[in-house]
Amino acid sequence: DYSTANFNNYIYTNNGGEGIAYTNMCIKATQNGKPMQLIGDGEYHTYRFDWHSGTPGNVTSAYVDFFIDDIYMGTNNAFVPTRGSRLSIALWGAGWNGYPNNWGGGHPGDGKIYSQTALVSEVKITPFNDPNDI
């Protein structure tokens, strides 16, 4: 079942300028009461996030709304970046948790190698021009 999505906000330093600041929002994606297959169904899907950097001096005004196939999945308002940066699109490679064979349906120690492919058809960036954009 590939119906769980992790929506992350990440900034390199927190407000004190030290360490990383990261938050994760895990969602079980459903449509019409059934799990949405986010990968492996042979279809392209639309993954969208609306990033609002908020208003200067009001840290609670920043948020990111997440959507899959134009269905609202949730809002994350912790550690929302206020500066533009690079956008990385990638699969999270096997071995990230110490088990190199359990990504993409495998099981640790099964001796098989599982390949991963991500097909991206389009990347579109539309600025909201929020007051806090830097």
Side-chain angles (χ1 to χ4, degrees):
D1 174 1
Y2 294 105
S3 62
T4 302
N6 289 317
F7 299 116
N8 305 319
N9 287 349
Y10 172 86
I11 56 178
Y12 183 69
T13 59
N14 58 26
N15 291 336
E18 302 169 0
I20 59 170
Y22 167 86
T23 184
N24 181 39
M25 183 176 68
C26 187
I27 298 292
K28 185 77 165 175
T30 60
Q31 184 176 29
N32 300 324
K34 296 181 179 180
M36 294 173 67
Q37 292 306 303
L38 303 175
I39 61 172
D41 64 355
E43 301 292 328
Y44 279 98
H45 295 278
T46 301
Y47 298 91
R48 181 179 115 209
F49 60 93
D50 294 352
W51 167 25
H52 295 275
S53 61
T55 305
N58 184 353
V59 295
T60 61
S61 66
Y63 64 95
V64 182
D65 286 333
F66 293 92
F67 300 82
I68 299 175
D69 293 337
D70 293 323
I71 299 170
Y72 171 74
M73 294 288 144
T75 298
N76 195 336
N77 62 359
F79 304 120
V80 178
T82 58
R83 296 177 183 209
S85 185
R86 68 183 132 194
L87 173 65
S88 298
I89 300 173
L91 294 171
W92 198 344
W96 67 272
N97 62 357
Y99 300 108
N101 295 323
N102 73 340
W103 194 258
H107 302 285
D110 68 5
K112 297 178 184 176
I113 296 174
Y114 297 88
S115 63
Q116 305 95 31
T117 302
L119 302 175
V120 177
S121 126
E122 177 183 22
V123 174
K124 181 173 138 182
I125 298 172
T126 305
F128 288 101
N129 298 316
D130 286 344
N132 210 29
D133 290 353
I134 295 176

